[in-house]
Amino acid sequence: MLSYLIFTLTLGGIYGLLALSLNLIWGGVGMVNLGLAGFFAVGAYVSALVSIAGMPLPLAMLLACVIGAMAGVIATFATIRLRGDYLAIVTLGFAEVVRMVALNERWLTRGSDGVSGIPAPFRAELGINGFNMFYLGLVSIIVLAVFLTMRRLDGSPFGRVLKAIREDQELATFAGKYVTRFKMQTFALSAAIAGLAGALYGHFQTYISPDHFQPLITIYIFLAVTAGGVGRPLGGLAGAYLVVFFLEATRFLGELFPGLQPGQVAAVREILVGVALLGVLHLRPQGILPEHIAPAPKTETTP
Amino acid sequence: MKPLLQVKNLERGFYGVRVLNGVALEVMDGSITGLIGPNGAGKSTFFNCISGLYMPDKGSVNFAGRDITRASPQDRMESGLVRTFQLARGFPKLSVFQHLMLYGQNHPGESLVASLAGSKAGQKHEEKLAEEALSIARRLRLSHVIDNPVTALSGGQKKLVEIGRALMAKPRLVLLDEPMAGVNPTLTAEIADHLRSLNAEGVTICLIEHDMKLIGSLCDPVIVMAEGRKLTEGSFEAVVADERVQEAYLGGRH
């Protein structure tokens, strides 16, 4: 049971990174990135393949971030004139392209067989349980660091410009802001975080395949950020842990209701997830931890 | 007085309809210039071409001795040409304070690296802007609503925020598109006072307005536009006495 809890918390952290990534681009600059699973996959594959080829893990993970960021820059320029629904469709397409490439370029990704034997740091030395504890610690520290960075960005002048772009892009232009530059930087940073999440996922599972990067992951993260509170890093992060716990808890439905077929259990889980989201948004329309406006500094009146 | 804004032969059409039909006019440095004309005269389109929202089809725009006909809105903004919109427009969820802060130009702290790593220059600039924002809010009597999102403000307060954020940009020329529309008479007088004191500090103002009493008390000279070009220009008294102006507003005598 303890090892299951550790697994859930680790996965929660990885989803938390994805939620921080989505909150940056969607809650920050207002771009609906339905291609999150694609950037997640890019990071996972890059880090897995180069570490199998012999690159040390920290470098492999860094490379996953860099390639993720580059994918983000490319995605920005590919969608530069698109907003709202159109951007959503194109980014969704991007994620599917990544998945199809992973499925079909067998020489690189081994297709639907997936990549196995991905190095897991210190697994031999620590044993399974020790490794799981260690990895939970590693993921949690990274989540904390990324969260603190995102919170800092959220309250910074940069974050203020992002929110202005989110609210009214044209007006932001007339406030003298170079909207494209801000979008590109945000997309790159967001994609780098998603790439990092992917790398952590790969080295944790030691096996990845295109099936792990279905669009459903993106939907779960949107759900997490929506329920947690769009535009507030802590909201998205809390939402991600909640979603993972909810998904894992409902796994045991079959044991509670022995009459259900496995297929029915899966359907009931998804119904419950949807109902839970409706419930949260009914009670807290802005999410559990809504975005808040930082107050103006209270200085002594200067003459 | 020297002209701050020089517009020559400006043309702009939409779907084959010529909205600006060779506008040529000048806004003198240090003036409060009124721009009036019947609906459809092309006043707002003129502003849109000057501020960079639309590119003109023909003609040239010269601001402070520089050709800005094809310049980006950001470039115009940085060189001191600031506009407001006819419908008070804001970033709905941002507070009054954040609106004011956003309009500080060339903020070194707004770069990603400075915001992530922290920069002395950025921090200093942020503090200086905050002081300015608070003082502008006091001046416009917005201090008590400074942390409110702009959606929670009254129509008149929104207009004041528009003026406040134009001030934050340290403009040389402010284009105001109907700053008094939908504002009660007391506040109108207050806004007019703000504009006068702004002008006294050396800011040139060009405003579109339909309130003739206000135009008369505030603006000199007054430029009249009709059918996409400048009809005439002069003091308010001279302009309203002009028969062509009356005709343009009445749509011709019977």
Side-chain angles (χ1 to χ4, degrees):
Chain A
M1 189 62 209
L2 181 68
S3 63
Y4 189 64
L5 188 68
I6 289 171
F7 166 82
T8 306
L9 279 170
T10 309
L11 196 63
I14 290 169
Y15 274 39
L17 285 177
L18 286 175
L20 288 170
S21 160
L22 180 65
N23 184 64
L24 176 61
I25 186 123
W26 185 38
V29 84
M31 293 167 85
V32 181
N33 175 16
L34 281 183
L36 200 64
F39 297 101
F40 186 49
V42 166
Y45 271 97
V46 166
S47 188
L49 293 173
V50 299
S51 64
I52 287 174
M55 189 183 273
L57 280 194
L59 279 182
M61 288 189 182
L62 190 66
L63 190 68
C65 294
V66 171
I67 303 280
M70 281 164 61
V73 171
I74 292 168
T76 314
F77 283 105
T79 59
I80 200 84
R81 299 171 69 86
L82 302 178
R83 268 185 248 175
D85 308 350
Y86 301 96
L87 178 69
I89 291 165
V90 172
T91 50
L92 182 65
F94 166 78
E96 283 301 277
V97 167
V98 170
R99 206 163 61 86
M100 289 304 136
V101 169
L103 204 53
N104 292 300
E105 297 303 314
R106 302 188 59 89
W107 61 273
L108 182 67
T109 64
R110 298 175 214 168
S112 56
D113 295 344
V115 179
S116 54
I118 303 169
F122 306 115
R123 187 156 156 156
E125 294 88 333
L126 295 168
I128 292 281
N129 284 331
F131 166 75
N132 284 345
M133 285 291 281
F134 160 74
Y135 211 78
L136 172 61
L138 177 71
V139 167
S140 303
I141 288 169
I142 291 176
V143 167
L144 186 67
V146 172
F147 163 67
L148 291 175
T149 311
M150 289 302 110
R151 206 179 59 170
R152 182 187 175 101
L153 210 55
D154 189 55
S156 73
F158 183 85
R160 189 170 57 216
V161 177
L162 294 196
K163 291 192 177 188
I165 294 171
R166 178 191 73 192
E167 304 279 295
D168 190 334
Q169 181 173 328
E170 191 176 83
L171 194 57
T173 303
F174 283 96
K177 309 304 174 203
Y178 290 90
V179 171
T180 304
R181 196 184 74 205
F182 282 99
K183 277 186 166 179
M184 189 193 67
Q185 290 176 336
T186 308
F187 212 144
L189 186 58
S190 164
I193 296 170
L196 178 63
L200 287 170
Y201 181 76
H203 295 292
F204 179 54
Q205 299 281 29
T206 69
Y207 167 72
I208 51 171
S209 78
D211 264 359
H212 289 120
F213 305 103
Q214 300 280 359
L216 189 62
I217 293 187
T218 307
I219 302 304
Y220 281 149
I221 302 300
F222 265 89
L223 205 145
V225 174
T226 309
V230 186
R232 182 160 169 191
L234 187 59
L237 186 59
Y241 279 106
L242 276 180
V243 164
V244 169
F245 271 97
F246 196 87
L247 286 174
E248 294 304 326
T250 51
R251 220 180 261 283
F252 301 108
L253 273 177
E255 291 168 24
L256 285 174
F257 303 96
L260 289 175
Q261 305 287 322
Q264 290 172 317
V265 172
V268 169
R269 274 176 83 193
E270 276 167 25
I271 291 171
L272 283 177
V273 168
V275 169
L277 178 66
L278 286 177
V280 167
L281 292 185
H282 186 72
L283 295 171
R284 313 263 310 178
Q286 308 290 319
I288 297 165
L289 296 168
E291 181 177 4
H292 67 287
I293 293 180
K298 297 282 173 279
T299 52
E300 295 302 309
T301 43
T302 41
Chain B
M1 258 197 274
K2 286 191 315 198
L4 181 61
L5 181 75
Q6 276 179 302
V7 179
K8 282 180 191 153
N9 190 32
L10 208 63
E11 289 185 17
R12 168 75 200 203
F14 293 94
Y15 309 108
V17 179
R18 197 58 81 64
V19 178
L20 295 183
N21 215 341
V23 181
L25 57 80
E26 289 179 346
V27 174
M28 292 298 158
D29 202 357
S31 69
I32 302 183
T33 303
L35 193 58
I36 64 171
N39 287 322
K43 304 181 298 292
S44 286
T45 304
F46 174 71
F47 266 22
N48 289 339
C49 282
I50 303 302
S51 62
L53 184 60
Y54 306 148
M55 290 295 154
D57 298 330
K58 264 189 198 165
S60 71
V61 182
N62 201 291
F63 176 69
R66 197 164 77 90
D67 184 8
I68 57 158
T69 314
R70 304 269 152 206
S72 70
Q74 293 93 339
D75 189 358
R76 291 167 209 239
M77 182 86 188
E78 280 165 7
S79 62
L81 177 63
V82 178
R83 75 166 295 174
T84 67
F85 286 87
Q86 191 172 351
L87 299 166
R89 213 169 139 176
F91 308 105
K93 279 191 188 166
L94 300 192
S95 69
V96 172
F97 180 71
Q98 286 172 318
H99 273 78
L100 296 177
M101 294 295 283
L102 270 170
Y103 278 74
Q105 295 301 299
N106 301 317
H107 187 343
E110 270 177 7
S111 84
L112 177 58
V113 176
S115 282
L116 278 180
S119 92
K120 273 256 167 63
Q123 187 68 28
K124 266 231 169 88
H125 196 82
E126 179 82 359
E127 280 162 17
K128 200 181 105 224
L129 278 183
E131 226 166 81
E132 281 170 24
L134 292 174
S135 113
I136 283 173
R138 256 199 310 278
R139 180 170 164 187
L140 297 174
R141 288 191 227 153
L142 289 169
S143 296
H144 60 297
V145 292
I146 193 142
D147 288 328
N148 292 17
V150 285
T151 26
L153 300 182
S154 72
Q157 285 170 330
K158 283 180 189 161
K159 293 283 186 186
L160 288 172
V161 173
E162 289 248 332
I163 291 172
R165 59 191 208 206
L167 281 178
M168 285 296 290
K170 302 217 183 322
R172 291 192 64 185
L173 170 63
V174 186
L175 305 173
L176 299 168
D177 198 348
E178 298 197 26
M180 315 295 184
V183 172
N184 73 52
T186 328
L187 193 55
T188 299
E190 204 179 293
I191 292 178
D193 283 340
H194 287 311
L195 296 183
R196 273 189 207 99
S197 71
L198 187 57
N199 183 243
E201 288 161 27
V203 178
T204 309
I205 296 171
C206 179
L207 74 157
I208 297 175
E209 191 47 63
H210 286 296
D211 181 341
M212 286 303 156
K213 234 178 85 187
L214 184 86
I215 289 278
S217 74
L218 197 61
C219 300
D220 185 37
V222 175
I223 296 173
V224 186
M225 278 182 72
E227 290 169 12
R229 53 163 70 92
K230 183 172 101 174
L231 189 64
T232 182
E233 177 181 346
S235 71
F236 178 71
E237 290 75 17
V239 157
V240 287
D242 192 319
E243 217 166 85
R244 290 172 302 165
V245 174
Q246 292 171 5
E247 221 169 272
Y249 266 94
L250 295 172
R253 294 254 170 101
H254 297 287

